Amino acid sequence: LKGLAFNDPGGKPMTLADHAGKTLLLNLWATWCAPCRAEMPALDALQKEMGSDAFEVVAVNVDVGDDAKPKKFLEETGVKALGYYRDSTMALFNDLKTRGLALGLPVTMLIDGEGCLIAHMNGPAEWSGPDAKRLVVTALGKSD
């Protein structure tokens, strides 16, 4: 999945390959998606607790249009630890849909440091809960 493309928090184009060596929890979300709104605080908490040189939650907004609405959404949901990644073209979502990985939003993928898919899930989850943390620890090759 190294070629998956979106914009970094500074607005510059990047791909997953730019995160080589780091395990990622890649999440696609939109402001109009109620389950996305519900899980965003948990993704933020996971990044705050477990984010490191080895692991990052990369939550990519896929709303079309400008940045105003997504940034307001993050402010309203109290997100502070997540970087502001963005793809306003929907190309990232459509690429994942073509690969059979995305059925709707949110969609989340666990990707290893080589850019290979470990697991994926459609729909929301409690990303700051013990099961999610164990999944990340296991993906990082650490013991609890």
Side-chain angles (χ1 to χ4, degrees), residues 36-139:
C36 298
R37 182 174 291 271
E39 79 173 357
M40 196 58 65
L43 288 165
D44 191 55
L46 181 64
Q47 173 62 27
K48 185 175 183 180
E49 184 175 336
M50 299 193 73
S52 68
D53 290 344
F55 174 75
E56 182 179 357
V57 176
V58 176
V60 181
N61 173 265
V62 295
D63 280 45
V64 294
D66 65 20
D67 289 342
K69 202 171 182 183
K71 285 187 174 181
K72 184 177 181 204
F73 173 98
L74 293 174
E75 189 177 306
E76 288 172 352
T77 54
V79 169
K80 302 262 189 270
L82 295 175
Y84 180 64
Y85 294 94
R86 183 110 155 84
D87 173 27
S88 62
T89 68
M90 287 291 286
L92 176 58
F93 177 80
N94 289 328
D95 184 355
L96 293 173
K97 190 174 176 182
T98 300
R99 296 172 190 235
L101 297 173
L103 306 175
L105 292 174
V107 60
T108 308
M109 289 160 285
L110 188 60
I111 301 165
D112 72 12
E114 302 291 317
C116 297
L117 182 66
I118 298 172
H120 81 283
M121 180 181 149
N122 282 272
E126 182 48 57
W127 292 111
S128 61
D131 290 341
K133 290 175 188 171
R134 268 194 302 279
L135 181 67
V136 171
V137 167
T138 301

Side-chain angles (χ1 to χ4, degrees), residues 5-38:
F6 45 91
N7 289 341
D8 72 11
K12 293 185 173 74
M14 67 173 303
T15 66
L16 280 186
D18 294 317
H19 286 282
K22 188 180 270 195
T23 298
L24 304 176
L25 188 75
L26 178 69
N27 174 273
L28 274 59
W29 64 277
T31 57
W32 46 264
C33 166
C36 298
R37 182 174 291 271

